[in-house]
Amino acid sequence: MKQSFTILAGAVVAVAMAGTVIAQSDGDKAAEAAQDAREAQMDLYAFNLGLLGDMAKGAVPYDAAAAQAAAENLAALSALDQSRLWPEGSGEMSIETRAKVDIWDDMDDFTAKADDLMKAAAAMAEVAGTGLEAVQGQMGALGGACGACHKAYRAPES
Amino acid sequence: MKQSFTILAGAVVAVAMAGTVIAQSDGDKAAEAAQDAREAQMDLYAFNLGLLGDMAKGAVPYDAAAAQAAAENLAALSALDQSRLWPEGSGEMSIETRAKVDIWDDMDDFTAKADDLMKAAAAMAEVAGTGLEAVQGQMGALGGACGACHKAYRAPES
């Protein structure tokens, strides 16, 4: 009895998966590809911002060249063309993501917040190699630009 | 009897996990953070190169602005400072990665191959917006630069 139940359950799963594949439109696939790419973009922000943050709070020693490189990376990353990262239908109502649909309801504000990050990153890159105090002085604006967008447009972790 | 076995097994797993945490050095954590960041870097290469490749082979219609944006993204990404992505001890003998240890045995050649990619991406960005034939004309050099590094320094999928 147990074995036949297992086989039946397996068949149900197989049918359900087949349905999923058929139901997944090209739009979903594009949305999921965009989601993967924006996760990569955020990971690279975090990797570079993390080093600057660790220096700012004294968790790692200040290193002018490393700070400058991280800040320039952030500036370049925030200046990438990101239009393909946020296609319509790639919000939390459509795919597995923390991107709120509010993004598409207020794309002008979303874009303005992305511009704020680009400006804060450029300002950090202007001074990051000149000393620890300069890094510390720019961290608030840079972290604030990240946080402002997350607060408005990122859903809580489920 | 079954319950006591489950509890014992749980305790063994907990001890084993505690051992793993203790055994993981700061070096391992840095190596794994670097691995995550280089995966993100490769994902963003693929996301942008993928669009150019799809246009080149006719899978999606050529779009001058989109091709130009993708090519400029690739040029900017390949020009990022990547020194923190490849710390000593982050090869396949140390962590879960396809990065061969040959990278650190021949860092000059590895760096030269990264420079080749940067040049090929810059060349694509020079012309990508000018027409489909220009994109097709640069795809070989760009794909070749990716492939040359993968062939030498990326282990097969396990």
Side-chain angles (χ1 to χ4, degrees):
Chain A
M1 181 61 195
K2 181 152 184 274
Q3 190 178 29
S4 61
F5 174 76
T6 306
I7 291 168
L8 177 63
V12 170
V13 169
V15 169
M17 287 177 67
T20 305
V21 170
I22 292 164
Q24 188 177 52
S25 68
D26 286 350
D28 289 340
K29 279 187 276 182
E32 280 163 13
Q35 171 63 20
D36 289 345
R38 58 205 190 201
E39 279 182 20
Q41 177 92 13
M42 301 296 161
D43 284 350
L44 290 180
Y45 284 155
F47 186 68
N48 288 284
L49 188 66
L51 179 65
L52 293 168
D54 283 347
M55 288 184 191
K57 67 184 181 197
V60 304
Y62 174 73
D63 176 310
Q68 186 61 38
E72 288 182 11
N73 282 354
L74 274 176
L77 286 162
S78 64
L80 292 179
D81 184 294
Q82 293 171 39
S83 51
R84 287 177 63 230
L85 296 190
W86 308 98
E88 288 271 356
S90 65
E92 61 174 338
M93 304 299 281
S94 308
I95 61 167
E96 191 170 323
T97 176
R98 292 171 66 192
K100 289 188 182 177
V101 291
D102 304 22
I103 291 170
W104 294 271
D105 292 338
D106 201 350
M107 187 52 85
D108 286 351
D109 181 65
F110 182 71
T111 306
K113 285 183 166 50
D115 286 347
D116 289 344
L117 174 62
M118 189 165 61
K119 285 172 197 157
M124 177 65 91
E126 283 287 314
V127 300
T130 66
L132 176 59
E133 292 72 17
V135 171
Q136 290 169 331
Q138 295 294 330
M139 275 306 292
L142 190 49
C146 298
C149 199
H150 289 163
K151 189 175 175 188
Y153 297 113
R154 186 174 65 166
E157 278 189 278
S158 58
Chain B
M1 181 60 195
K2 181 151 183 274
Q3 190 178 29
S4 62
F5 173 77
T6 305
I7 292 168
L8 177 63
V12 169
V13 169
V15 170
M17 287 176 68
T20 305
V21 171
I22 292 165
Q24 189 177 51
S25 67
D26 286 350
D28 288 339
K29 278 186 276 184
E32 280 163 13
Q35 171 62 22
D36 289 345
R38 58 206 190 201
E39 281 183 20
Q41 176 91 16
M42 300 297 160
D43 284 351
L44 290 180
Y45 284 156
F47 186 69
N48 289 285
L49 188 65
L51 179 64
L52 292 168
D54 282 348
M55 288 183 190
K57 67 186 180 194
V60 301
Y62 174 74
D63 174 310
Q68 186 61 37
E72 287 182 13
N73 280 354
L74 274 175
L77 287 162
S78 65
L80 292 178
D81 183 295
Q82 294 172 38
S83 51
R84 288 178 60 231
L85 296 189
W86 308 98
E88 289 270 357
S90 65
E92 62 175 337
M93 305 299 280
S94 308
I95 61 168
E96 191 169 323
T97 177
R98 292 169 68 189
K100 288 188 184 177
V101 292
D102 305 23
I103 290 169
W104 294 271
D105 292 340
D106 201 349
M107 187 51 83
D108 285 352
D109 181 64
F110 182 71
T111 306
K113 286 183 165 51
D115 286 347
D116 288 345
L117 174 61
M118 188 165 59
K119 285 174 196 156
M124 177 65 91
E126 284 286 316
V127 300
T130 66
L132 176 59
E133 292 71 19
V135 170
Q136 291 170 330
Q138 294 295 330
M139 276 306 292
L142 190 48
C146 297
C149 200
H150 290 163
K151 187 174 175 188
Y153 296 113
R154 185 173 67 166
E157 279 191 276
S158 58

